[in-house]
Amino acid sequence: MSEIFEECLVKLHNALINVDITVKNVMVVVKFAMEIVEVTELKGEEQKELAVKLVRQVIVNAPISDDEEKLCLDMVDNGVMGNMMDLISDASKGNININTAKKLAGGCCSAIWK
């Protein structure tokens, strides 16, 4: 898998050549990582694991402040990025009914405001 990792990392760095890595746009890194991993022979959980490792490495390599790096790495290491990838994957497969979620959120919000 290290050969696949290295190949994907080069592609990811090339895709991010004009992107500043910040807490604000770290999801751009996730997007590109997921797109690059999608075309490998890996499937399912292996894809997600590789994408998470790629995102982590890009953050480590990025010329950002220690505070920003720590915040980004905390999101990776605590499963936020992996969960976000699962959510994106579910949405891409049509497994999320946005209208139901919208109604549910609306009901919750109206209960709070009352």
Side-chain angles (χ1 to χ4, degrees), residues 59-106:
I59 293 166
V60 168
N61 293 350
I64 59 177
S65 72
D66 289 345
D67 289 341
E68 273 200 298
E69 181 176 321
K70 182 181 179 339
L71 183 55
C72 289
L73 290 177
D74 282 347
M75 289 191 295
V76 173
D77 296 340
N78 289 308
V80 174
M81 296 300 179
N83 288 341
M84 183 62 64
M85 290 175 188
D86 288 338
L87 179 64
I88 292 166
S89 178
D90 281 346
S92 73
K93 294 174 185 171
N95 294 336
I96 296 176
N97 186 337
I98 299 299
N99 293 326
T100 300
K102 188 171 144 182
K103 288 177 189 175
L104 179 62

Side-chain angles (χ1 to χ4, degrees), residues 16-28:
L16 296 168
I17 215 154
N18 293 319
V19 177
D20 290 329
I21 309 304
T22 64
V23 172
K24 203 175 203 178
N25 72 355
V26 72
M27 295 314 293
V28 172

